[in-house]
Amino acid sequence: MKSFALRATGVALGAAGALVVGAAFAQGEGAKPVTGTSDAAVVQELRDSFRGSGIAQLDRIDQSELQKLCTQYATKPMPAKIAERLQKAELANVKAPADGKYLGDWKEGEKVAQNGRGMQFTDKADTVNGGNCYACHQLTKSEISFGNIGPSLYNYGKLRGDSPEVVKYTWAKVYDSHSYMACSNMPRFGAAGILTEQQLKDVMALLLDPASPVNP
């Protein structure tokens, strides 16, 4: 059974949209009931109720502008102009591979996709994170345990090809999912520092390499 630790990465939770990854916090003792309904009151309650542990510290409660807006529009459509502005800003921050090569080793990419470890309070700082891709996507026929929060990626490269446009789009989507869909539930694997550049390349190969089991 795979760990679903990374599914919550990048998702705004609660009234204040606090970023909580893989049960990162341990609840403190003597927590007081929430006495206000404003964002500030909820954030303060979170700070009073949780404590940092290991690599998971209270800075995860702090929201970026994007996270605040995604919380604000969690139950109603986000205006197109705001969504476009957010996506444009995220896309501008996507970093291409330093050596210009986008594809690594698909076999290593499969390992990243299967690995759900990382960013939990029980992990050490040098823990190698996984992508836990199967928690949300189908990628191969041999793996029968997968989630359906995201679309099936089976035959991803076979259906889309490997044109420069497809390669760059796929890299941007994996690096920072918000670059093409504001408030995406998909983790920002590159932008948030979850995966290394090499891991990102290996996942790219899993998706696009004709020899990959994703593209039989």
Side-chain angles (χ1 to χ4, degrees), residues 95-101 171 195-202:
K95 296 180 180 179
D99 60 2
K101 298 179 180 179
W171 176 268
L195 299 180
T196 66
E197 182 179 284
Q198 185 59 53
Q199 286 179 309
L200 292 171
K201 289 183 177 184
D202 294 338

Side-chain angles (χ1 to χ4, degrees), residues 105-117:
D105 183 342
W106 71 259
K107 293 180 181 178
E108 293 301 313
E110 173 67 6
K111 294 177 183 178
V112 175
Q114 291 279 359
N115 181 7
R117 291 296 306 278

Side-chain angles (χ1 to χ4, degrees), residues 58-138:
L58 294 180
D59 59 351
R60 296 188 179 188
I61 292 176
D62 299 330
Q63 287 186 298
S64 66
E65 180 195 13
L66 182 145
Q67 290 166 340
K68 289 178 181 178
L69 286 169
C70 288
T71 299
Q72 180 180 343
Y73 291 100
T75 59
K76 56 185 177 181
M78 176 179 285
K81 288 185 177 180
I82 295 179
E84 290 171 4
R85 176 172 65 81
L86 293 176
Q87 290 167 189
K88 184 178 180 179
E90 296 299 306
L91 184 59
N93 290 327
V94 172
K95 296 180 180 179
D99 60 2
K101 298 179 180 179
Y102 287 86
L103 270 61
D105 183 342
W106 71 259
K107 293 180 181 178
E108 293 301 313
E110 173 67 6
K111 294 177 183 178
V112 175
Q114 291 279 359
N115 181 7
R117 291 296 306 278
M119 303 185 75
Q120 300 183 76
F121 72 96
T122 52
D123 290 322
K124 296 181 179 179
D126 60 353
T127 297
V128 177
N129 298 326
N132 206 20
C133 306
Y134 282 102
C136 298
H137 303 281
Q138 178 188 24

Side-chain angles (χ1 to χ4, degrees), residues 4-200:
F4 283 71
L6 293 180
R7 278 178 56 178
T9 306
V11 181
L13 300 178
L19 181 63
V20 180
V21 182
F25 305 107
Q27 189 164 6
E29 297 180 358
K32 300 177 181 179
V34 176
T35 56
T37 57
S38 68
D39 285 354
V42 175
V43 170
Q44 187 58 53
E45 182 63 24
L46 287 170
R47 292 192 179 281
D48 292 341
S49 300
F50 293 91
R51 60 179 173 79
S53 181
I55 64 172
Q57 297 299 313
L58 294 180
D59 59 351
R60 296 188 179 188
I61 292 176
D62 299 330
Q63 287 186 298
S64 66
E65 180 195 13
L66 182 145
Q67 290 166 340
K68 289 178 181 178
L69 286 169
C70 288
T71 299
Q72 180 180 343
Y73 291 100
T75 59
K76 56 185 177 181
M78 176 179 285
K81 288 185 177 180
I82 295 179
E84 290 171 4
R85 176 172 65 81
L86 293 176
Q87 290 167 189
K88 184 178 180 179
E90 296 299 306
L91 184 59
N93 290 327
V94 172
K95 296 180 180 179
D99 60 2
K101 298 179 180 179
Y102 287 86
L103 270 61
D105 183 342
W106 71 259
K107 293 180 181 178
E108 293 301 313
E110 173 67 6
K111 294 177 183 178
V112 175
Q114 291 279 359
N115 181 7
R117 291 296 306 278
M119 303 185 75
Q120 300 183 76
F121 72 96
T122 52
D123 290 322
K124 296 181 179 179
D126 60 353
T127 297
V128 177
N129 298 326
N132 206 20
C133 306
Y134 282 102
C136 298
H137 303 281
Q138 178 188 24
L139 287 98
T140 67
K141 285 295 186 181
S142 59
E143 176 54 72
I144 61 174
S145 176
F146 57 85
N148 59 7
I149 293 176
S152 172
L153 299 178
Y154 186 61
N155 280 333
Y156 182 89
K158 195 171 186 179
L159 293 172
R160 294 167 178 78
D162 59 355
S163 67
E165 293 77 15
V166 168
V167 171
K168 290 181 180 179
Y169 163 79
T170 304
W171 176 268
K173 185 69 176 177
V174 177
Y175 189 96
D176 186 344
S177 58
H178 297 293
S179 61
Y180 284 100
M181 180 184 290
C183 306
S184 171
N185 286 334
M186 181 174 170
R188 301 181 306 133
F189 289 110
I194 300 170
L195 299 180
T196 66
E197 182 179 284
Q198 185 59 53
Q199 286 179 309
L200 292 171

